[in-house]
Amino acid sequence: MKTSLNSTPSVRPCTPTPSHHQETFIQTERLSLRYGCKTAFCDVNLSIPVGCITALVGPSGCGKSSFLCCLNRLTDLIPCCQVSGKVRLGKLDILNPKIDPIALRRRVSLISQKPNPFPLSIWQNIALPLKEHGLRNREEIDRIVEQSLRDVGLWDEVKDRLKDSALALSGGQQQRLCIARALALKPEALLLDEPCSALDPISSSVVEDLIVSLKHHYTLLIVTHNLAQARRIADYVACFWVKDDSGQLIECGSAEQVFADPQSPITAAYVNGIRG
Amino acid sequence: MAKKKGVQKSEVRSQKSEVNFLPCSPASPASPSPHLPISPSPPPLSLLPTITVWAIALLVTATFAWIVGDIIWHGAGTISWEFLTTAPKNSGREGGIAPILVATGLILGVCLAVSLPLGIGTAILLAEFTPTDSWFGRLVRRSLDVLAGVPSIVFGLFGNVFFARTLGLGFSILSGGLTLACMVLPILIRSAEEGLRAVPNDYRLAAASLGLSRTTTLWQLLLPAAVPGLLVGLVLGIGRAMAETAALIFTSGYVDRMPQSLFDSGRALSIHIFDLSMNVSGGDTNAYGSALVLVVLLLLINGTAAQIADRWLHKF
Ligand SMILES: Nc1ncnc2c1ncn2[C@@H]1O[C@H](COP(=O)(O)OP(=O)(O)OP(=O)(O)O)[C@@H](O)[C@H]1O
Ligand SMILES: [Mg+2]
């Protein structure tokens, strides 16, 4: 299932691994996305390495969220949204309509920018997807619910009210519940769209530590506006920018390289806080 | 007056200027007050909308109260356990309404048993599986809106021709129920569809990104979230069905005997009221009694539905 970077010599993907050999989890080739006649981003060639944290940075509206949606075909649900190009997951081209999107989304889970818990109890929010994927044993479900809530630092806050509505939680708690819900399914990759944007510094650092601790078991792709956070946790950084009215990938590479020695002057200005 | 106050204030301020945090300039007595005067009552013209709204609200409530009051006034004396449990005698002038209640219940049952599954199914198809702007969706929606406005007498004639004659069901509870089902379907479908569309799209996206199938999403998330909308449609539908007279005259008939099966003719409450007050001299008392029963039934159904919707909304 996992292929090396060199498997597709025809296109030159922006390779964030200049030094050592690294397996690619997912790779996009000339990926473009349009909403009606508005291009969200175009011609993005990017490889996401296995078991690493890749941070996606860039100004608002440059297509980061849209890019994440392509990677697990959530774009199928958005009306008038056209995707072109290739997204390779192992040997599969996941944009192929024959691929089962449900199986894909189990492997690649997306946590959206806006917390979106279901209008069910806290417990059911996590248990419903578990049951859907065939887990019937009540004790096992309880164990996973507790474990995933502990992982996101929410267990102590909600352990006495697991039967209460998830909508009664605060915004930050909802966001962590959504992360817990995705973690409970044990996907291979997690796509996190600004997971800390609604959180206070303390829970933000809880989530940040969580993300770092997940790194060896999962492939993580995280969108963040917080460059300090990207600097702290990311192994690789990809920088998007709006050029000619559409988002483009202007630079990617290892975190040290992008922050210390950016190739593009725009990136340099952005990471040094001059623009964006 | 204003000048004097300003002077007094500035004196007070200067006296305790040590404790003042804000640098406040003493009001200059010469300059006019910068604030607009606040008149104690708003100008009369701006009251007009308020009065109009209140008047309309009062009018509506008063009309409702008058109708209900009138029915209770005339009908309350008739209501008794006897009245509800015995058969009508002497063309309904005496006796009760037991067979009529049973027939009404059966007609409503047939109507809902057919229209609810069909209505919710169509609503799901329209809201979840057809794009909003597709020609199919638009065609179905437009036809439903036209159908919802068709006079009930037309449904009655249709039911008479199609169910009673073509399908050979005759004047029967089944024909009546099926005709009513056709009548309430547009209402049910449209309100169920609105209910489903009102469910935030976030739920669908979240469910999809967790790999939930469309069936699970529908049953576990979308339909429960749409229940209040469905109930509104159900109440409107039941209201229309219970109140229906014209369509039933042609289909379920007049017979006021206790129905033995769905193929028997049965007299609905509204027809009973119509018959007593128009065709039977001296039937007014029992007509009022039956009307009271009908109104109470409708209010009960309304209240229960409102209660369920309320519970449901507060559950989550
Ligand atoms: N559902 C949609 N329909 C139409 N246009 C959309 C839709 N979603 C996003 N867009 C447009 O696509 C562009 C990229 O949006 P996107 O949400 O991907 O940006 P982003 O980089 O995630 O921004 P932010 O950092 O503010 O979240 C924007 O110009 C936006 O207006
Ligand atoms: Mg975004």
Side-chain angles (χ1 to χ4, degrees):
Chain A
M1 175 217 93
K2 291 158 184 166
T3 51
S4 80
L5 272 179
N6 311 325
S7 61
T8 50
S10 55
V11 229
R12 283 170 45 80
C14 194
T15 314
T17 48
S19 49
H20 58 284
H21 182 83
Q22 176 81 46
E23 274 183 301
T24 304
F25 179 73
I26 215 167
Q27 178 178 14
T28 69
E29 285 165 26
R30 304 206 49 154
L31 187 66
S32 310
L33 187 150
R34 279 187 300 152
Y35 293 108
C37 51
K38 163 140 190 24
T39 311
F41 60 82
C42 64
D43 291 341
V44 173
N45 300 320
L46 179 66
S47 317
I48 315 284
V50 165
C52 295
I53 301 178
T54 307
L56 230 56
V57 299
S60 191
C62 62
K64 305 180 296 295
S65 303
S66 312
F67 180 75
L68 288 199
C69 283
C70 289
L71 299 187
N72 75 347
R73 289 251 312 257
L74 223 51
T75 41
D76 288 6
L77 273 74
I78 303 170
C80 73
C81 162
Q82 294 150 294
V83 187
S84 60
K86 284 207 166 75
V87 181
R88 291 192 189 287
L89 178 73
K91 289 194 175 55
L92 303 171
D93 177 15
I94 62 166
L95 295 183
N96 186 336
K98 286 200 195 107
I99 298 275
D100 174 18
I102 291 178
L104 169 69
R105 291 176 194 139
R106 273 218 67 186
R107 294 177 60 187
V108 183
S109 192
L110 181 131
I111 290 145
S112 77
Q113 192 162 2
K114 212 168 71 190
N116 51 7
F118 299 134
L120 304 169
S121 73
I122 297 172
W123 185 84
Q124 275 181 306
N125 256 281
I126 302 177
L128 177 67
L130 286 175
K131 287 183 192 157
E132 168 80 5
H133 296 307
L135 199 60
R136 288 272 166 268
N137 182 344
R138 175 69 194 240
E139 279 152 33
E140 183 69 6
I141 292 178
D142 277 337
R143 197 187 57 73
I144 297 179
V145 168
E146 176 175 346
Q147 185 55 47
S148 26
L149 284 175
R150 275 190 198 284
D151 281 346
V152 295
L154 199 59
W155 176 251
D156 291 326
E157 289 161 56
V158 302
K159 64 170 181 260
D160 302 321
R161 48 183 181 129
L162 288 175
K163 293 275 172 281
D164 289 4
S165 166
L167 299 184
L169 294 174
S170 77
Q173 289 172 327
Q174 290 186 4
Q175 183 66 290
R176 281 183 284 157
L177 177 64
C178 292
I179 299 179
R181 190 172 65 178
L183 283 181
L185 292 178
K186 301 238 175 304
E188 291 168 40
L190 273 181
L191 314 172
L192 298 134
D193 198 348
E194 297 185 39
C196 298
S197 61
L199 303 186
D200 68 297
I202 296 173
S203 30
S204 168
S205 72
V206 169
V207 170
E208 206 178 294
D209 293 344
L210 167 74
I211 293 171
V212 173
S213 73
L214 292 175
K215 166 165 130 174
H216 300 296
H217 313 287
Y218 300 88
T219 300
L220 291 138
L221 182 59
I222 168 171
V223 172
T224 178
H225 282 296
N226 184 342
L227 288 174
Q229 184 183 52
R231 219 185 272 262
R232 277 196 301 274
I233 64 175
D235 301 304
Y236 299 99
V237 175
C239 185
F240 278 63
W241 202 264
V242 186
K243 264 188 190 167
D244 311 327
D245 228 21
S246 81
Q248 291 182 8
L249 179 66
I250 51 166
E251 172 139 16
C252 62
S254 71
E256 305 102 72
Q257 183 251 310
V258 172
F259 282 115
D261 178 26
Q263 305 295 304
S264 146
I266 304 176
T267 326
Y270 183 65
V271 298
N272 292 318
I274 301 165
R275 286 175 67 180
Chain B
M1 172 74 191
K3 271 184 192 174
K4 229 180 162 187
K5 255 196 177 163
V7 173
Q8 278 173 356
K9 255 193 186 159
S10 70
E11 276 169 9
V12 172
R13 273 175 191 159
S14 60
Q15 273 169 10
K16 42 178 191 177
S17 60
E18 311 93 67
V19 291
N20 261 353
F21 293 102
L22 297 168
C24 47
S25 56
S28 106
S31 70
S33 158
H35 302 293
L36 285 170
I38 298 171
S39 55
S41 64
L45 204 66
S46 74
L47 276 177
L48 203 62
T50 324
I51 293 174
T52 320
V53 168
W54 272 98
I56 293 174
L58 268 178
L59 202 70
V60 170
T61 324
T63 317
F64 177 73
W66 186 30
I67 295 174
V68 174
D70 187 59
I71 292 175
I72 293 178
W73 180 255
H74 289 97
T78 329
I79 302 289
S80 64
W81 188 243
E82 276 303 296
F83 184 67
L84 295 179
T85 51
T86 54
K89 275 180 238 132
N90 193 5
S91 326
R93 288 185 194 86
E94 291 154 39
I97 52 168
I100 284 130
L101 281 180
V102 172
T104 311
L106 286 178
I107 293 173
L108 195 65
V110 170
C111 163
L112 291 183
V114 173
S115 61
L116 265 187
L118 214 60
I120 294 180
T122 315
I124 290 173
L125 184 75
L126 279 179
E128 298 298 320
F129 295 93
T130 18
T132 329
D133 44 0
S134 74
W135 65 267
F136 175 75
R138 260 194 309 209
L139 183 76
V140 173
R141 237 167 265 134
R142 187 64 53 82
S143 332
L144 286 175
D145 287 346
V146 171
L147 219 55
V150 168
S152 54
I153 192 99
V154 177
F155 276 104
L157 286 172
F158 164 76
N160 184 266
V161 170
F162 185 67
F163 294 119
R165 295 213 205 123
T166 311
L167 293 190
L169 299 175
F171 281 91
S172 68
I173 288 175
L174 207 54
S175 310
L178 290 175
T179 309
L180 283 192
C182 296
M183 254 179 71
V184 303
L185 254 180
I187 307 176
L188 271 182
I189 296 175
R190 288 298 264 147
S191 49
E193 191 202 345
E194 292 308 320
L196 279 171
R197 281 195 196 281
V199 178
N201 210 22
D202 285 353
Y203 297 162
R204 297 184 183 90
L205 286 176
S209 77
L210 290 166
L212 299 191
S213 68
R214 292 198 82 163
T215 334
T216 317
T217 313
L218 195 61
W219 283 107
Q220 305 279 336
L221 298 170
L222 303 182
L223 281 179
V227 159
L230 298 181
L231 278 175
V232 169
L234 186 63
V235 166
L236 287 176
I238 292 182
R240 182 146 193 215
M242 293 267 281
E244 191 42 54
T245 321
L248 291 179
I249 292 179
F250 292 102
T251 49
S252 65
Y254 263 73
V255 176
D256 62 359
R257 279 191 311 271
M258 182 62 90
Q260 301 301 317
S261 78
L262 293 183
F263 295 98
D264 274 1
S265 168
R267 188 190 275 201
L269 253 180
S270 48
I271 296 187
H272 190 57
I273 298 168
F274 170 76
D275 195 50
L276 282 185
S277 58
M278 302 306 287
N279 302 340
V280 181
S281 59
D284 278 355
T285 336
N286 274 0
Y288 269 114
S290 313
L292 184 57
V293 172
L294 184 61
V295 169
V296 167
L297 275 179
L298 280 177
L299 288 180
L300 272 182
I301 291 171
N302 239 314
T304 322
Q307 191 103 70
I308 295 175
D310 204 48
R311 283 258 181 81
W312 198 272
L313 281 181
H314 284 106
K315 197 164 124 209
F316 293 116

